[in-house]
Amino acid sequence: MVSEAEKIQKKTSCEHQAECMKMVQLIVDGQASDEQINQFKLNMDTCLPCEKGYELEKCIKETMQLRLEKKCVPSSLIDCIKQKISTL
Amino acid sequence: MDELEEIKIPQTYSDLEKHRVFDKEFMPHIDSMYNFAFRLTNDEDDANDLVQDTYLKAFRFINSFSQGTNAKAWLFRILKNSFINDFRKKSKEPAKVDYQDVETTYNSEEDAETNQTVDLRVESVQDLIGDEIANALNALPVDFRTVIILCDVEGFTYEEMAKILDIPIGTVRSRLHRARMLLKEKLQSYAKSLGYNVNADSMAD
Protein backbone atom coordinates (compact mmCIF):
# COMPACT_ATOMS: atom_id res chain seq x y z
CA MET A 1 0.00 0.00 0.00
CA VAL A 2 1.51 3.39 -1.05
CA SER A 3 0.92 6.24 1.39
CA GLU A 4 -0.39 9.64 0.28
CA ALA A 5 3.01 11.19 1.14
CA GLU A 6 4.81 8.70 -1.06
CA LYS A 7 2.35 9.28 -3.88
CA ILE A 8 3.18 12.99 -4.12
CA GLN A 9 6.90 12.53 -3.48
CA LYS A 10 8.67 13.72 -6.62
CA LYS A 11 11.71 11.92 -7.93
CA THR A 12 14.92 13.89 -7.47
CA SER A 13 16.78 12.61 -10.50
CA CYS A 14 15.57 12.22 -14.06
CA GLU A 15 16.74 9.31 -16.15
CA HIS A 16 15.60 11.05 -19.35
CA GLN A 17 16.90 14.50 -18.62
CA ALA A 18 18.41 15.18 -22.06
CA GLU A 19 15.12 14.29 -23.77
CA CYS A 20 13.09 16.18 -21.19
CA MET A 21 15.17 19.33 -21.61
CA LYS A 22 14.62 19.21 -25.37
CA MET A 23 10.89 19.06 -24.67
CA VAL A 24 11.19 21.97 -22.23
CA GLN A 25 12.76 24.02 -24.99
CA LEU A 26 9.91 23.25 -27.39
CA ILE A 27 7.36 24.16 -24.73
CA VAL A 28 8.86 27.47 -23.63
CA ASP A 29 9.31 28.44 -27.28
CA GLY A 30 5.66 27.66 -28.06
CA GLN A 31 6.68 24.96 -30.54
CA ALA A 32 5.26 21.91 -28.76
CA SER A 33 1.93 20.28 -29.64
CA ASP A 34 -0.94 20.17 -27.12
CA GLU A 35 -0.27 16.48 -26.64
CA GLN A 36 3.41 17.10 -25.88
CA ILE A 37 2.48 19.85 -23.42
CA ASN A 38 -0.03 17.66 -21.59
CA GLN A 39 2.42 14.78 -21.43
CA PHE A 40 5.15 17.00 -20.03
CA LYS A 41 2.79 18.48 -17.44
CA LEU A 42 2.08 15.01 -16.14
CA ASN A 43 5.81 14.33 -16.04
CA MET A 44 6.48 17.55 -14.12
CA ASP A 45 4.01 16.46 -11.46
CA THR A 46 6.31 13.61 -10.57
CA CYS A 47 9.81 14.81 -11.50
CA LEU A 48 11.54 17.62 -9.60
CA PRO A 49 14.49 18.11 -12.04
CA CYS A 50 12.03 18.50 -14.93
CA GLU A 51 9.90 20.97 -12.98
CA LYS A 52 12.95 23.03 -12.00
CA GLY A 53 14.39 22.81 -15.50
CA TYR A 54 11.15 24.13 -16.95
CA GLU A 55 10.93 26.98 -14.41
CA LEU A 56 14.52 28.04 -15.09
CA GLU A 57 14.19 28.01 -18.89
CA LYS A 58 10.90 29.93 -18.69
CA CYS A 59 12.46 32.47 -16.33
CA ILE A 60 15.50 33.02 -18.58
CA LYS A 61 13.31 33.45 -21.64
CA GLU A 62 11.08 35.98 -19.85
CA THR A 63 14.18 37.77 -18.59
CA MET A 64 15.53 38.10 -22.12
CA GLN A 65 12.18 39.43 -23.34
CA LEU A 66 11.59 41.90 -20.55
CA ARG A 67 14.90 43.04 -19.13
CA LEU A 68 17.13 43.58 -22.12
CA GLU A 69 17.18 47.28 -22.90
CA LYS A 70 15.13 48.13 -25.99
CA LYS A 71 16.82 50.89 -27.92
CA CYS A 72 14.83 53.35 -29.98
CA VAL A 73 16.10 53.91 -33.47
CA PRO A 74 17.55 57.42 -33.81
CA SER A 75 15.20 59.71 -35.74
CA SER A 76 18.21 60.95 -37.69
CA LEU A 77 18.65 57.43 -39.08
CA ILE A 78 15.03 57.30 -40.24
CA ASP A 79 15.41 60.71 -41.87
CA CYS A 80 18.64 59.64 -43.56
CA ILE A 81 17.09 56.44 -44.95
CA LYS A 82 14.03 58.30 -46.27
CA GLN A 83 16.22 60.93 -47.85
CA LYS A 84 18.37 58.33 -49.60
CA ILE A 85 15.32 56.34 -50.73
CA SER A 86 13.82 59.45 -52.29
CA THR A 87 16.86 59.80 -54.55
CA LEU A 88 16.88 56.18 -55.76
CA MET B 1 21.71 39.09 -53.35
CA ASP B 2 21.30 35.47 -52.36
CA GLU B 3 19.26 36.58 -49.36
CA LEU B 4 16.50 37.58 -51.73
CA GLU B 5 16.53 34.59 -54.02
CA GLU B 6 13.80 32.56 -52.33
CA ILE B 7 11.02 34.78 -53.64
CA LYS B 8 9.52 32.96 -56.59
CA ILE B 9 7.34 35.48 -58.36
CA PRO B 10 8.90 38.93 -58.63
CA GLN B 11 6.47 41.83 -58.41
CA THR B 12 6.64 44.93 -60.50
CA TYR B 13 5.74 47.90 -58.40
CA SER B 14 5.31 51.41 -59.69
CA ASP B 15 7.44 54.08 -58.00
CA LEU B 16 4.47 55.17 -55.94
CA GLU B 17 3.75 51.57 -54.87
CA LYS B 18 7.39 51.01 -53.96
CA HIS B 19 7.30 53.89 -51.50
CA ARG B 20 3.93 52.82 -50.15
CA VAL B 21 5.09 49.21 -49.58
CA PHE B 22 8.32 50.45 -48.06
CA ASP B 23 6.51 52.71 -45.59
CA LYS B 24 3.72 50.29 -44.79
CA GLU B 25 5.55 46.95 -44.68
CA PHE B 26 9.18 47.74 -43.87
CA MET B 27 9.35 50.85 -41.71
CA PRO B 28 7.21 49.45 -38.83
CA HIS B 29 10.04 46.97 -38.12
CA ILE B 30 12.84 49.50 -37.89
CA ASP B 31 13.05 49.47 -34.07
CA SER B 32 13.39 45.66 -34.02
CA MET B 33 15.93 45.87 -36.83
CA TYR B 34 17.95 48.49 -34.98
CA ASN B 35 17.95 46.43 -31.78
CA PHE B 36 19.02 43.32 -33.70
CA ALA B 37 21.81 45.26 -35.41
CA PHE B 38 22.93 46.71 -32.09
CA ARG B 39 23.00 43.28 -30.44
CA LEU B 40 25.07 41.92 -33.34
CA THR B 41 27.57 44.76 -33.50
CA ASN B 42 27.57 46.08 -29.91
CA ASP B 43 28.05 49.56 -31.31
CA GLU B 44 25.45 52.25 -32.06
CA ASP B 45 27.27 53.71 -35.07
CA ASP B 46 27.77 50.26 -36.57
CA ALA B 47 24.11 49.45 -35.93
CA ASN B 48 23.12 52.66 -37.74
CA ASP B 49 25.23 51.70 -40.76
CA LEU B 50 23.92 48.15 -40.82
CA VAL B 51 20.26 49.18 -40.60
CA GLN B 52 20.70 51.84 -43.26
CA ASP B 53 22.45 49.39 -45.56
CA THR B 54 19.67 46.83 -45.00
CA TYR B 55 16.85 49.28 -45.74
CA LEU B 56 18.53 50.57 -48.87
CA LYS B 57 18.98 46.99 -50.10
CA ALA B 58 15.36 46.23 -49.24
CA PHE B 59 14.19 49.19 -51.31
CA ARG B 60 16.49 48.38 -54.18
CA PHE B 61 15.18 44.81 -54.34
CA ILE B 62 11.62 45.57 -53.34
CA ASN B 63 10.27 43.79 -56.42
CA SER B 64 11.46 40.55 -54.81
CA PHE B 65 9.14 41.13 -51.87
CA SER B 66 5.53 39.94 -52.09
CA GLN B 67 3.07 42.09 -50.17
CA GLY B 68 1.37 40.27 -47.35
CA THR B 69 4.28 37.88 -46.77
CA ASN B 70 6.52 38.05 -43.72
CA ALA B 71 8.29 41.40 -44.14
CA LYS B 72 9.97 41.24 -40.76
CA ALA B 73 11.60 37.86 -41.46
CA TRP B 74 12.60 39.07 -44.96
CA LEU B 75 14.27 42.17 -43.53
CA PHE B 76 16.00 40.24 -40.75
CA ARG B 77 17.40 37.86 -43.33
CA ILE B 78 18.84 40.72 -45.35
CA LEU B 79 20.32 42.30 -42.24
CA LYS B 80 21.86 39.03 -41.06
CA ASN B 81 23.40 38.42 -44.50
CA SER B 82 24.66 41.99 -44.72
CA PHE B 83 26.28 41.57 -41.34
CA ILE B 84 28.00 38.33 -42.35
CA ASN B 85 28.93 39.17 -45.93
CA ASP B 86 29.78 42.83 -45.82
CA PHE B 87 29.79 44.34 -42.43
CA ARG B 88 31.80 41.84 -40.42
CA LYS B 89 34.70 42.16 -42.87
CA LYS B 90 34.96 45.92 -42.63
CA SER B 91 33.90 46.33 -39.02
CA LYS B 92 36.17 48.68 -37.17
CA GLU B 93 36.04 46.35 -34.21
CA PRO B 94 36.25 42.71 -35.25
CA ALA B 95 33.94 40.42 -33.34
CA LYS B 96 35.48 39.38 -30.08
CA VAL B 97 35.55 35.62 -30.25
CA ASP B 98 36.48 33.18 -27.58
CA TYR B 99 37.93 30.57 -29.90
CA GLN B 100 37.89 27.93 -27.22
CA ASP B 101 34.16 28.57 -26.80
CA VAL B 102 33.56 28.37 -30.53
CA GLU B 103 35.58 25.21 -30.95
CA THR B 104 33.83 23.53 -28.08
CA THR B 105 30.37 24.65 -29.06
CA TYR B 106 30.60 23.93 -32.79
CA ASN B 107 32.10 20.54 -32.21
CA SER B 108 29.15 19.69 -30.07
CA GLU B 109 26.37 21.57 -31.84
CA GLU B 110 24.93 18.49 -33.48
CA ASP B 111 25.28 16.66 -30.21
CA ALA B 112 23.46 19.32 -28.28
CA GLU B 113 21.27 16.82 -26.51
CA THR B 114 24.24 15.84 -24.41
CA ASN B 115 23.09 15.87 -20.86
CA GLN B 116 24.70 18.93 -19.36
CA THR B 117 23.46 20.76 -16.35
CA VAL B 118 24.27 24.19 -15.01
CA ASP B 119 23.52 24.89 -11.41
CA LEU B 120 21.58 28.10 -11.58
CA ARG B 121 18.61 29.20 -9.52
CA VAL B 122 15.55 31.00 -10.85
CA GLU B 123 15.99 33.49 -8.00
CA SER B 124 19.56 34.27 -9.10
CA VAL B 125 18.37 35.03 -12.63
CA GLN B 126 15.59 37.24 -11.31
CA ASP B 127 18.11 39.19 -9.23
CA LEU B 128 20.31 40.07 -12.21
CA ILE B 129 19.82 43.51 -13.73
CA GLY B 130 19.42 44.27 -17.43
CA ASP B 131 23.08 45.19 -17.95
CA GLU B 132 24.24 41.89 -16.50
CA ILE B 133 21.83 40.00 -18.73
CA ALA B 134 23.06 41.98 -21.75
CA ASN B 135 26.71 41.33 -20.85
CA ALA B 136 26.06 37.60 -20.57
CA LEU B 137 24.33 37.62 -23.96
CA ASN B 138 27.11 39.69 -25.54
CA ALA B 139 29.70 37.25 -24.25
CA LEU B 140 28.28 34.50 -26.49
CA PRO B 141 29.73 33.83 -29.95
CA VAL B 142 27.64 35.73 -32.50
CA ASP B 143 25.87 32.70 -34.00
CA PHE B 144 24.62 31.64 -30.60
CA ARG B 145 23.72 35.20 -29.63
CA THR B 146 21.75 35.46 -32.85
CA VAL B 147 19.46 32.49 -32.24
CA ILE B 148 18.64 33.68 -28.74
CA ILE B 149 17.80 37.18 -29.97
CA LEU B 150 15.65 35.86 -32.82
CA CYS B 151 13.79 33.39 -30.62
CA ASP B 152 13.54 35.01 -27.19
CA VAL B 153 13.65 38.72 -27.95
CA GLU B 154 11.97 38.87 -31.37
CA GLY B 155 9.69 35.85 -30.98
CA PHE B 156 10.37 34.22 -34.34
CA THR B 157 9.25 30.60 -34.78
CA TYR B 158 11.82 27.89 -35.52
CA GLU B 159 10.59 27.81 -39.11
CA GLU B 160 11.10 31.56 -39.53
CA MET B 161 14.53 31.33 -37.90
CA ALA B 162 15.51 28.52 -40.28
CA LYS B 163 14.64 30.78 -43.21
CA ILE B 164 16.38 33.83 -41.79
CA LEU B 165 19.54 31.90 -40.97
CA ASP B 166 19.35 29.56 -43.96
CA ILE B 167 19.83 26.44 -41.84
CA PRO B 168 17.61 23.37 -41.24
CA ILE B 169 15.07 23.49 -38.39
CA GLY B 170 16.95 20.70 -36.61
CA THR B 171 20.04 22.90 -36.54
CA VAL B 172 17.96 25.79 -35.20
CA ARG B 173 16.84 23.56 -32.32
CA SER B 174 20.30 22.23 -31.50
CA ARG B 175 21.97 25.63 -31.86
CA LEU B 176 19.37 27.19 -29.60
CA HIS B 177 19.84 24.45 -27.04
CA ARG B 178 23.60 24.91 -27.07
CA ALA B 179 23.26 28.70 -26.95
CA ARG B 180 21.07 28.47 -23.89
CA MET B 181 23.53 26.16 -22.14
CA LEU B 182 26.27 28.69 -22.79
CA LEU B 183 24.06 31.56 -21.67
CA LYS B 184 23.28 29.76 -18.43
CA GLU B 185 27.00 29.29 -17.82
CA LYS B 186 27.57 33.02 -18.35
CA LEU B 187 24.63 33.95 -16.13
CA GLN B 188 25.89 31.57 -13.48
CA SER B 189 29.32 33.25 -13.56
CA TYR B 190 27.66 36.64 -13.16
CA ALA B 191 25.46 35.48 -10.34
CA LYS B 192 28.47 33.93 -8.61
CA SER B 193 30.61 37.03 -9.03
CA LEU B 194 27.83 39.07 -7.48
CA GLY B 195 27.75 36.78 -4.49
CA TYR B 196 24.55 34.92 -5.25
CA ASN B 197 24.45 31.39 -4.01
CA VAL B 198 23.88 29.88 -7.44
CA ASN B 199 24.07 26.21 -6.64
CA ALA B 200 22.31 26.07 -3.33
CA ASP B 201 19.25 24.96 -5.21
CA SER B 202 18.91 21.66 -3.50
CA MET B 203 16.10 19.30 -4.30
CA ALA B 204 14.75 20.07 -0.84
CA ASP B 205 13.58 23.52 -2.02
Side-chain angles (χ1 to χ4, degrees):
Chain A
M1 199 52 189
V2 182
S3 71
E4 283 303 307
E6 281 171 326
K7 274 186 195 170
I8 58 165
Q9 183 78 46
K10 292 189 175 187
K11 58 183 181 180
T12 56
S13 70
C14 178
E15 60 273 33
H16 310 110
Q17 195 167 14
E19 288 303 311
C20 291
M21 288 303 105
K22 280 200 274 185
M23 187 54 63
V24 165
Q25 177 171 292
L26 290 180
I27 291 170
V28 297
D29 291 339
Q31 303 281 303
S33 67
D34 288 348
E35 191 186 341
Q36 286 173 317
I37 293 169
N38 289 335
Q39 205 174 348
F40 190 76
K41 275 184 184 164
L42 289 174
N43 179 40
M44 272 204 305
D45 290 342
T46 61
C47 182
L48 199 53
C50 287
E51 183 188 11
K52 292 207 169 289
Y54 170 75
E55 285 171 359
L56 181 61
E57 294 296 338
K58 188 164 159 276
C59 171
I60 292 174
K61 188 174 176 97
E62 286 169 357
T63 299
M64 301 303 294
Q65 286 167 338
L66 302 175
R67 255 187 279 166
L68 271 184
E69 184 195 0
K70 303 270 194 302
K71 291 191 171 288
C72 281
V73 65
S75 56
S76 58
L77 175 60
I78 296 176
D79 294 342
C80 182
I81 290 170
K82 287 194 167 171
Q83 192 268 326
K84 283 181 188 277
I85 295 299
S86 68
T87 63
L88 289 177
Chain B
M1 290 302 297
D2 62 337
E3 64 263 36
L4 307 174
E5 275 174 4
E6 71 169 338
I7 309 299
K8 278 127 192 140
I9 309 164
Q11 315 286 303
T12 308
Y13 298 114
S14 66
D15 280 352
L16 192 66
E17 282 172 332
K18 280 182 185 174
H19 286 275
R20 189 183 56 75
V21 170
F22 187 86
D23 288 342
K24 185 175 162 237
E25 303 259 13
F26 298 169
M27 289 309 284
H29 303 296
I30 198 165
D31 277 326
S32 292
M33 295 283 284
Y34 182 72
N35 276 279
F36 184 42
F38 179 71
R39 295 282 165 220
L40 289 177
T41 60
N42 292 319
D43 183 277
E44 289 185 2
D45 290 338
D46 291 344
N48 276 347
D49 291 347
L50 189 52
V51 170
Q52 180 173 299
D53 185 44
T54 301
Y55 270 85
L56 293 182
K57 276 184 187 165
F59 187 81
R60 206 169 291 133
F61 293 92
I62 202 163
N63 285 334
S64 302
F65 173 76
S66 299
Q67 278 190 83
T69 60
N70 193 337
K72 187 177 175 184
W74 193 75
L75 291 168
F76 267 68
R77 187 174 181 194
I78 298 174
L79 191 148
K80 184 270 304 178
N81 285 343
S82 293
F83 175 69
I84 290 171
N85 297 333
D86 308 328
F87 188 82
R88 231 169 170 179
K89 292 174 194 160
K90 64 183 179 197
S91 173
K92 57 191 170 202
E93 187 185 359
K96 295 183 187 72
V97 175
D98 179 337
Y99 288 99
Q100 185 58 51
D101 256 5
V102 172
E103 192 179 348
T104 309
T105 48
Y106 272 100
N107 285 344
S108 59
E109 186 169 283
E110 295 307 321
D111 189 29
E113 63 273 16
T114 305
N115 187 8
Q116 291 171 279
T117 53
V118 176
D119 284 325
L120 181 63
R121 300 172 61 121
V122 165
E123 293 81 358
S124 302
V125 176
Q126 287 169 338
D127 285 342
L128 292 172
I129 61 168
D131 281 355
E132 290 152 358
I133 304 288
N135 288 341
L137 180 65
N138 291 343
L140 301 184
V142 69
D143 285 350
F144 293 100
R145 195 158 78 230
T146 300
V147 287
I148 288 184
I149 296 167
L150 293 177
C151 186
D152 293 349
V153 181
E154 296 301 333
F156 284 112
T157 64
Y158 291 175
E159 193 181 349
E160 288 169 330
M161 288 167 67
K163 284 181 184 162
I164 292 168
L165 300 173
D166 203 17
I167 56 178
I169 286 186
T171 307
V172 170
R173 274 196 218 107
S174 57
R175 191 174 293 180
L176 199 47
H177 185 78
R178 191 72 193 110
R180 284 178 171 149
M181 287 303 301
L182 275 177
L183 180 66
K184 276 186 274 189
E185 286 172 17
K186 305 289 182 193
L187 291 173
Q188 184 189 32
S189 301
Y190 263 102
K192 240 182 202 170
S193 71
L194 294 168
Y196 299 129
N197 193 5
V198 290
N199 52 10
D201 192 12
S202 75
M203 291 304 173
D205 275 1

